[in-house]
Amino acid sequence: MDRPVWAPESVDMDRASPARMYDALLGGSHNFEVDRQAAAYGRQLVPDLPRLALSNRAFLRRAVRFMIDAGIRQFLDIGSGIPAAGNVHEVAQEIDPSVRVLYVDIDPVAVTHAATILQGNERAGALEADLRKPDDLLARAREPGLIDFDQPIGVLLVAVLHLLQDEERPRDMVAALRAAVPAGSYVAISHVTSALRPDDAARLGEKATSGIGIRFRDRAAITEMFDGLAMVEPGVVELPLWRPESERDHHETPGRSLGLAGVGHKV
């Protein structure tokens, strides 16, 4: 298989990546055959899986606009994935060109592509780091000087925490990030859930797609990730029900969403 020009030499083209699978579900082009096969297998198990991806992206955009309205002018997008239409910097800088955005992902393809599309944008950057090592991630996030950790930050953990198993203690990862940002900051989380469609969640299951462990959690477990934060209304709800702006936000049928989401405020 020929290696695309956008794929770093270090990337294993025979192993699926969550970021590239998500890109495939969204109809993107920065993925390999193994990622497309894994995404197709997921669609075979749950045909409306692409709607979950679209619903998640719509939540991301709404959460960013909410935080902008609340006065946030810098974002740390962790597990940002492959850049697609409606990225954080596009949404935020359309409202206020002075907004700063730092994308963080463990996938070198995601980071390389982000760096490419951000060329010439002095208020946005990308770095490779691992959420499972929050101290290292935070140290790297401080290095470019793009994010001021003395000012409120919008922390985005969108569709990433369900890639951590229970023994990796995702709540502790969120707590470490919460502790590192000042009062006035916000944390947005979206997460796949078994709450509404347990049979479909079981079919997708852990390691159901090319060895990638996806941990479906119930509402209580996802809500606990916001410990220490004041929940923004309407709390932890289905993806399409978090402050929808129009019917176009209802990519999934309410009552049938495979994802839950919420935003917390550090007061």
Side-chain angles (χ1 to χ4, degrees), residues 55 59 62 196 219 233-245 249-257 259-261:
S55 189
F59 163 72
R62 296 195 305 275
L196 301 172
R219 188 184 301 271
E233 291 294 333
V236 176
V237 296
E238 294 176 64
L239 282 166
L241 297 183
W242 196 88
R243 295 177 175 252
E245 296 169 350
D249 287 332
H250 290 173
H251 296 285
E252 299 176 285
T253 303
R256 293 277 299 162
S257 179
L260 296 177

Side-chain angles (χ1 to χ4, degrees), residues 119-132:
Q119 287 182 0
N121 188 333
E122 296 180 353
R123 294 186 176 273
L127 64 86
E128 185 177 339
D130 189 342
L131 174 58
R132 294 168 298 184

Side-chain angles (χ1 to χ4, degrees), residues 23-40:
D23 180 64
L25 287 170
L26 289 168
S29 59
H30 283 70
N31 49 74
F32 305 140
E33 180 62 26
V34 66
D35 305 305
R36 293 187 288 274
Q37 289 177 355

Side-chain angles (χ1 to χ4, degrees), residues 67-250:
M67 292 184 195
I68 292 283
D69 288 345
I72 296 296
R73 289 299 181 270
Q74 51 180 358
F75 291 89
L76 187 59
D77 185 358
I78 300 172
S80 52
I82 308 286
N87 285 303
V88 174
H89 74 281
E90 294 173 334
V91 174
Q93 292 176 353
E94 182 178 5
I95 300 170
D96 183 346
S98 72
V99 172
R100 302 183 304 280
V101 179
L102 183 60
Y103 295 105
V104 181
D105 204 280
I106 196 173
D107 188 320
V109 170
V111 176
T112 298
H113 188 45
T116 299
I117 69 170
L118 293 173
Q119 287 182 0
N121 188 333
E122 296 180 353
R123 294 186 176 273
L127 64 86
E128 185 177 339
D130 189 342
L131 174 58
R132 294 168 298 184
K133 302 175 182 177
D135 291 341
D136 177 68
L137 186 154
L138 289 163
R140 294 187 184 201
R142 287 184 171 94
E143 286 175 1
L146 190 64
I147 301 298
D148 181 354
F149 279 81
D150 292 327
Q151 297 296 321
I153 300 169
V155 179
L156 305 172
L157 293 163
V158 176
V160 64
L161 291 168
H162 51 233
L163 299 174
L164 301 183
Q165 301 306 305
D166 290 343
E167 59 269 23
E168 294 174 302
R169 305 175 70 172
R171 285 176 60 189
D172 290 354
M173 305 301 101
V174 180
L177 295 168
R178 183 192 69 231
V181 299
S185 297
Y186 288 86
V187 178
I189 295 173
S190 70
H191 196 298
V192 294
T193 185
S194 56
L196 301 172
R197 295 166 60 178
D199 292 343
D200 284 338
R203 270 192 291 274
L204 286 169
E206 292 188 15
K207 303 187 183 302
T209 50
S210 294
I212 294 173
I214 298 177
R215 182 71 170 90
F216 285 78
R217 295 185 169 96
D218 60 21
R219 188 184 301 271
I222 296 169
T223 301
E224 287 174 354
M225 294 179 179
F226 289 96
D227 285 353
L229 298 167
M231 292 304 305
V232 171
E233 291 294 333
V236 176
V237 296
E238 294 176 64
L239 282 166
L241 297 183
W242 196 88
R243 295 177 175 252
E245 296 169 350
S246 72
E247 288 297 320
R248 289 179 298 177
D249 287 332
H250 290 173

